[in-house]
Amino acid sequence: MAQESPKNSAAEIPVTSNGEVDDSHEHGFNRDLKRSLPAGLGLSETQITSHGFDSTKEGVIEAGSFQGSPAPPLPSVMSPSRVAASRLTQQGSDLIVPAGSQRTQTKSGPVILADETKNPAMEKLELVRKWSLNTYKCTRQIISEKLGRGSRTVDLELEAQIDILRDNKKKYENILKLAQTLSTQLFQMVHTQRQLGDAFADLSLKSLELHEEFGYNADTQKLLAKNGETLLGAINFFIASVNTLVNKTIEDTLMTVKQYESARIEYDAYRTDLEELNLGPRDANTLPKIEQSQHLFQAHKEKYDKMRNDVSVKLKFLEENKVKVLHNQLVLFHNAIAAYFAGNQKQLEQTLKQFHIKLKTPGVDAPSWLEEQ
């Protein structure tokens, strides 16, 4: 038996009007809203209350559970009246869900956006911009100085000390190179003398008629090789000390000098920029730029003064350290060379003891465990 379709309650909706506004569009919109409710919501009953515009009367729509066929799709465009839209908005809280079901209310309100943290990409971009601006100013200052157009700040006394330091560094590097060459040649000579002494000793044992002659030469070459190894230890100690002075102590001071020169270029670049702004007109647009330029100039001036003081202090301590180190090393080198070529083995060994130099003779086997005991 065919089931009779439920009676459409929308046809019995009383129309409420205040005599001024036609609400037919409003009830049509409510009917479409009712039919568009999906069956999956499982609503057993729904009560929608719609108040009039200026009336205390209200229309009530009561609908049972959805049993019929799915509602046809809504038209692509719905144009409810402004009055219906405003009333639905005002009465959104009147949508009642029966007991036993979850009640959901959507409340609208102002959206507050929290303050966003600084973007790392923007910070990096700002750093790149500042670096580019600083590089541009410094490059312009360097080019102006080389072309003879720009002025530069010069500390005559400090510049003279820096020039002397650089010249001394080149000379010390030459001495170091020659000492290394002497050490290499002496090592080769000592190695040759040791081999020659071994050859004489071997022939002394095998040639009975020349036993004494070969023996004398073997002893002499071995003694020369031993003294040469002692002298080689003194020269290597001299090389190590001068190398530390040149490539560490002096180089560290020159690195500070480079930082000082960079600070000087930045100082002159921002000084020139400030002078150019001061020569121009002073108005509401230029005064903030002049104030900012003055602030940057003062910051770079403090940096320049600090680096100049650091260079002066390092040059003073370097000079004292250089005199002390070179004095000891030159005395060692002289006494060792003089004792070696004079054949004074005792004086040569005494020189090494004076400077606390321990020799590690090349080519000599380590003592056996019996000797160590």
Side-chain angles (χ1 to χ4, degrees):
M1 184 174 87
Q3 183 178 359
E4 185 178 354
S5 60
K7 185 178 180 180
N8 191 353
S9 60
E12 300 177 359
I13 299 176
V15 179
T16 303
S17 175
N18 57 6
E20 297 177 358
V21 180
D22 186 6
D23 292 339
S24 60
H25 293 287
E26 174 187 352
H27 294 292
F29 178 76
N30 290 338
R31 181 171 60 254
D32 293 338
L33 178 62
K34 167 184 171 296
R35 295 177 60 187
S36 64
L37 289 176
L41 294 178
L43 301 177
S44 59
E45 60 180 11
T46 304
Q47 179 178 359
I48 301 178
T49 304
S50 176
H51 294 276
F53 186 75
D54 285 330
S55 175
T56 58
K57 298 181 180 181
E58 59 183 18
V60 179
I61 301 175
E62 295 182 357
S65 59
F66 185 78
Q67 299 177 359
S69 60
L74 294 175
S76 58
V77 179
M78 293 188 301
S79 302
S81 65
R82 295 182 180 178
V83 177
S86 62
R87 291 175 182 175
L88 287 176
T89 303
Q90 295 174 0
Q91 301 300 328
S93 60
D94 291 340
L95 182 61
I96 302 174
V97 180
S101 301
Q102 183 179 2
R103 179 177 180 181
T104 304
Q105 294 183 356
T106 303
K107 297 182 179 180
S108 61
V111 179
I112 302 175
L113 298 178
D115 295 338
E116 296 183 355
T117 58
K118 293 184 178 179
N119 191 351
M122 296 301 296
E123 293 182 355
K124 292 181 180 180
L125 185 62
E126 181 65 18
L127 292 176
V128 171
R129 188 189 69 82
K130 291 182 179 180
W131 174 83
S132 302
L133 181 61
N134 185 73
T135 303
Y136 165 73
K137 292 180 180 293
C138 294
T139 304
R140 184 183 63 176
Q141 177 65 25
I142 293 173
I143 295 175
S144 300
E145 292 178 2
K146 290 185 177 180
L147 295 178
R149 299 176 182 177
S151 61
R152 56 170 296 184
T153 304
V154 179
D155 189 330
L156 296 178
E157 182 180 359
L158 190 60
E159 293 289 338
Q161 294 178 0
I162 293 174
D163 291 339
I164 293 174
L165 175 62
R166 287 174 172 162
D167 185 62
N168 288 337
K169 184 175 183 291
K170 294 180 180 179
K171 294 179 180 179
Y172 295 155
E173 288 175 343
N174 185 42
I175 290 176
L176 183 61
K177 182 179 179 181
L178 293 175
Q180 290 172 344
T181 302
L182 178 61
S183 175
T184 301
Q185 294 174 349
L186 181 60
F187 175 79
Q188 295 175 352
M189 185 182 71
V190 169
H191 182 68
T192 302
Q193 288 175 339
R194 189 182 302 109
Q195 290 180 338
L196 186 58
D198 294 337
F200 282 146
D202 183 62
L203 290 174
S204 175
L205 296 176
K206 295 180 180 180
S207 301
L208 297 179
E209 63 279 5
L210 297 174
H211 172 72
E212 293 182 0
E213 288 80 359
F214 279 124
Y216 294 153
N217 282 277
D219 294 340
T220 301
Q221 293 300 322
K222 289 181 180 181
L223 180 60
L224 290 175
K226 182 180 179 181
N227 292 339
E229 291 169 356
T230 305
L231 177 62
L232 188 63
I235 294 177
N236 288 337
F237 186 78
F238 171 81
I239 292 173
S241 299
V242 176
N243 180 68
T244 301
L245 175 65
V246 173
N247 294 323
K248 291 185 178 181
T249 308
I250 295 180
E251 187 64 26
D252 178 70
T253 304
L254 289 178
M255 287 296 296
T256 307
V257 170
K258 291 180 181 179
Q259 296 175 1
Y260 157 74
E261 291 176 346
S262 298
R264 198 274 308 165
I265 293 175
E266 292 179 353
Y267 165 72
D268 284 337
Y270 284 91
R271 175 182 56 81
T272 303
D273 192 23
L274 179 61
E275 291 175 354
E276 292 176 356
L277 289 175
N278 287 329
L279 293 176
R282 291 176 174 267
D283 51 22
N285 295 328
T286 58
L287 285 178
K289 295 181 180 180
I290 294 176
E291 183 179 356
Q292 183 181 8
S293 180
Q294 178 68 33
H295 176 71
L296 294 174
F297 165 75
Q298 187 64 30
H300 285 86
K301 183 177 184 300
E302 293 175 359
K303 180 181 178 181
Y304 167 72
D305 292 338
K306 179 180 180 299
M307 294 306 304
R308 181 175 58 183
N309 293 333
D310 292 346
V311 171
S312 299
V313 171
K314 281 202 170 186
L315 286 175
K316 180 180 179 181
F317 282 108
L318 175 63
E319 186 65 23
E320 296 176 356
N321 188 31
K322 181 191 69 175
V323 171
K324 181 180 179 180
V325 170
L326 288 181
H327 171 76
N328 294 334
Q329 297 304 317
L330 290 174
V331 171
L332 166 66
F333 191 83
H334 171 267
N335 292 343
I337 293 290
Y340 173 79
F341 284 100
N344 192 341
Q345 180 182 1
K346 184 177 180 179
Q347 181 63 31
L348 183 60
E349 294 176 353
Q350 186 65 30
T351 300
L352 267 66
K353 290 180 180 180
Q354 179 182 355
F355 290 90
H356 308 285
I357 301 175
K358 295 181 179 180
L359 297 178
K360 184 179 180 181
T361 306
V364 177
D365 297 334
S368 63
W369 64 275
L370 290 176
E371 294 175 346
E372 292 178 354
Q373 295 295 329

